[in-house]
Amino acid sequence: MAGTKALLMLENFIDGKFLPCSSYIDSYDPSTGEVYCRVPNSGKDEIEAAVKAAREAFPGWSSRSPQERSRVLNQVADLLEQSLEEFAQAESKDQGKTLALARTMDIPRSVQNFRFFASSILHHTSECTQMDHLGCMHYTVRAPVGVAGLISPWNLPLYLLTWKIAPAIAAGNTVVAKPSELTSVTAWMLCTLLDKAGVPPGVVNIVFGTGPRVGEALVSHPEVPLISFTGSQPTAERITQLSAPHCKKLSLELGGKNPAIIFEDANLDECIPATVRSSFANQVRSYVKRALAEGAQIWCGEGVDKLNLPARSQAGYFMLPTVITDIKDESCCMTEEIFGPVTCVVPFDSEEEVIERANNVKYGLAATVWSNNVGRVHRVAKKLQSGLVWTNCWLIRELNLPFGGMKSSGIGREGAKDSYDFFTEIKTITVKH
């Protein structure tokens, strides 16, 4: 038809080759609401082919020295950095985040993920002890697990996919990865760099599709002994069920309802801009309606201000930043994760009260505390049930240290040592002399 734009057609990447699929699903441009891309609707057959390729590639890749694997990861990082603008444009269009955010956070962090694990794999040590009275020496070695199944979410597509791929292959594993079917484009683009970087065929396989078809086939595959997943709690429960018969290693990084606690002595010049960014960084109207029905007050945004959009974006997925007050702690807006520009502001009277209320949710991923009282900062941070607590800052990460949640926010930690431990198996060897 004249004037019809050609759709971007993605293909699975298996054994170093792009392969078409028998069926596809539509992917939408969130700025217009229109279909702009078609994603493979893969299933069990594609997963079987990917696992086979990964298993065949494992002996050769795992036998390479850490130095050799490090060089390959650094080459991936270099190629990705050289294509930063292209990847940022694609991430912004596919996911809906601002181009500035993709340029300054998502793609640079993806580059950093490869570089970081290329370096950290060179610096791990093993343990050794002696039993002189028995003439024995004991030492430990770590070995890659095998084929790693990696499932990443839609909100930080390349950022979190590379956070899994990089440590997995650095440790000597091969991988079968499933990105979110909602945001698959940059994962597909990454595949075009792998051969140029010297990644052997079969070491990284990416299969696109939905959770029920691709995800379940991957998680339940008997020859995939390890699953790293970032996403929702209900999906994690299903993964746990499917993995249980095979006793798989699991790393589950799930949702969060992250409190930002602002005390009366906080530096508001630093606190307010950071809190605004943390509250409105993601791009949910039903929550706002429910809050209104519960008696809350909407100060700005949804239902209060008019959203003016250009003609091409009238059907796009846009929502004004919304601030809610006079809301109960039991409200869904206070207890459930909202992937939208909505924040709730509630007062508190004491340190003890705010700690109790902050901990009174099922999640425990992260929290922020704003105060100029050093003693208070340490007291509150220690008592909050969160895997990560930022104080007088937000989103500053030290990749050497653990990241992960408590309670319903997941199982396991990720970071230099933690990722290495997860993607390897430890063995104790005893030598009598």
Side-chain angles (χ1 to χ4, degrees):
M1 183 184 295
T4 300
K5 294 181 180 178
L7 298 179
L8 180 63
M9 299 289 290
L10 306 191
E11 293 180 312
N12 292 315
F13 187 73
I14 299 173
D15 201 18
K17 299 181 288 291
F18 286 102
L19 302 175
C21 191
S22 60
S23 65
Y24 289 81
I25 52 181
D26 292 335
S27 182
Y28 294 82
D29 180 342
S31 71
T32 64
E34 298 175 351
V35 176
Y36 90 103
C37 174
R38 305 214 73 206
V39 177
N41 187 24
S42 308
K44 186 175 181 180
D45 290 345
E46 288 80 6
I47 288 295
E48 286 289 349
V51 172
K52 180 176 182 292
R55 291 190 69 229
E56 291 176 352
F58 177 72
W61 181 248
S62 61
S63 66
R64 292 196 184 190
S65 69
Q67 289 76 11
E68 290 177 295
R69 296 196 298 265
S70 175
R71 283 194 290 270
V72 173
L73 264 70
N74 275 317
Q75 185 63 21
V76 175
D78 291 343
L79 293 171
L80 181 54
E81 189 171 48
Q82 292 166 19
S83 304
L84 190 149
E85 180 62 21
E86 181 184 357
F87 273 81
Q89 293 276 352
E91 198 76 294
S92 176
K93 182 171 184 176
D94 195 36
Q95 198 272 345
K97 65 181 63 207
T98 65
L99 184 55
L101 195 61
R103 281 176 177 151
T104 60
M105 185 181 76
D106 288 66
I107 309 307
R109 172 59 190 275
S110 301
V111 173
Q112 185 186 8
N113 287 340
F114 282 107
R115 289 213 174 111
F116 176 80
F117 286 106
S119 174
S120 70
I121 194 62
L122 303 176
H123 304 293
H124 295 290
T125 59
S126 60
E127 298 172 294
C128 179
T129 63
Q130 292 187 179
M131 298 174 68
D132 291 337
H133 64 292
L134 294 177
C136 289
M137 180 183 72
H138 313 270
Y139 66 95
T140 61
V141 294
R142 281 194 171 271
V145 178
V147 179
L150 313 177
I151 303 176
S152 55
W154 63 269
N155 57 322
L156 295 165
L158 193 65
Y159 178 133
L160 289 178
L161 179 65
T162 56
W163 180 239
K164 297 179 184 297
I165 289 177
I169 65 173
N173 300 282
T174 56
V175 307
V176 177
K178 188 204 97 65
S180 168
E181 69 274 17
L182 302 176
T183 51
S184 297
V185 172
T186 50
W188 172 72
M189 292 171 62
L190 178 67
C191 298
T192 65
L193 307 180
L194 298 178
D195 180 62
K196 297 177 186 176
V199 179
V203 171
V204 176
N205 306 274
I206 298 186
V207 181
F208 301 99
T210 65
R213 286 173 57 85
V214 175
E216 295 212 357
L218 177 59
V219 168
S220 60
H221 199 291
E223 294 172 334
V224 179
L226 173 155
I227 300 293
S228 175
F229 167 77
T230 299
S232 70
Q233 182 187 352
T235 303
E237 292 174 2
R238 180 63 176 157
I239 289 172
T240 303
Q241 293 169 357
L242 293 171
S243 301
H246 306 286
C247 296
K248 300 185 183 225
K249 292 183 76 174
L250 297 180
S251 174
L252 308 174
E253 198 266 280
L254 311 180
K257 191 64 178 175
N258 305 336
I261 301 171
I262 304 171
F263 286 96
E264 77 282 354
D265 61 344
N267 183 334
L268 297 184
D269 290 337
E270 295 180 356
C271 166
I272 298 303
T275 303
V276 168
R277 290 197 304 273
S278 66
S279 299
F280 299 135
N282 282 307
Q283 297 56 15
V284 157
R285 291 194 169 95
S286 63
Y287 280 96
V288 179
K289 291 179 180 177
R290 289 162 70 181
L292 277 172
E294 294 168 351
Q297 182 169 354
I298 313 299
W299 283 90
C300 62
E302 181 69 17
V304 175
D305 302 307
K306 185 178 180 181
L307 180 59
N308 295 310
L309 295 171
R312 70 178 295 273
S313 298
Q314 289 295 320
Y317 312 147
F318 293 90
M319 182 177 175
L320 286 167
T322 301
V323 177
I324 304 174
T325 62
D326 301 321
I327 190 165
K328 298 177 181 178
D329 287 3
E330 299 77 24
S331 169
C332 62
C333 291
M334 292 287 286
T335 60
E336 298 178 20
E337 186 173 28
I338 305 176
F339 276 106
V342 177
T343 193
C344 301
V345 181
V346 294
F348 61 90
D349 294 319
S350 69
E351 210 174 281
E352 293 73 19
E353 176 200 345
V354 76
I355 291 169
E356 181 180 356
R357 292 170 68 183
N359 289 337
N360 194 31
V361 292
K362 66 179 182 178
Y363 297 112
L365 185 59
T368 55
V369 178
W370 295 88
S371 173
N372 285 327
N373 184 322
V374 177
R376 171 186 280 163
V377 161
H378 287 287
R379 284 195 307 272
V380 175
K382 187 175 181 180
K383 293 179 180 179
L384 288 173
Q385 296 170 358
S386 297
L388 173 62
V389 180
W390 285 290
T391 65
N392 297 324
C393 62
W394 175 67
L395 211 59
I396 296 175
R397 287 277 288 115
E398 162 56 90
L399 301 187
N400 281 294
L401 298 182
F403 177 81
M406 299 180 179
K407 302 188 291 187
S408 292
S409 286
I411 298 172
R413 295 291 186 271
E414 297 171 318
K417 182 181 184 300
D418 295 271
S419 292
Y420 181 65
D421 289 352
F422 177 69
F423 284 112
T424 57
E425 290 282 15
I426 193 168
K427 180 185 299 184
T428 298
I429 298 174
T430 297
V431 179
K432 185 172 177 60
H433 53 82

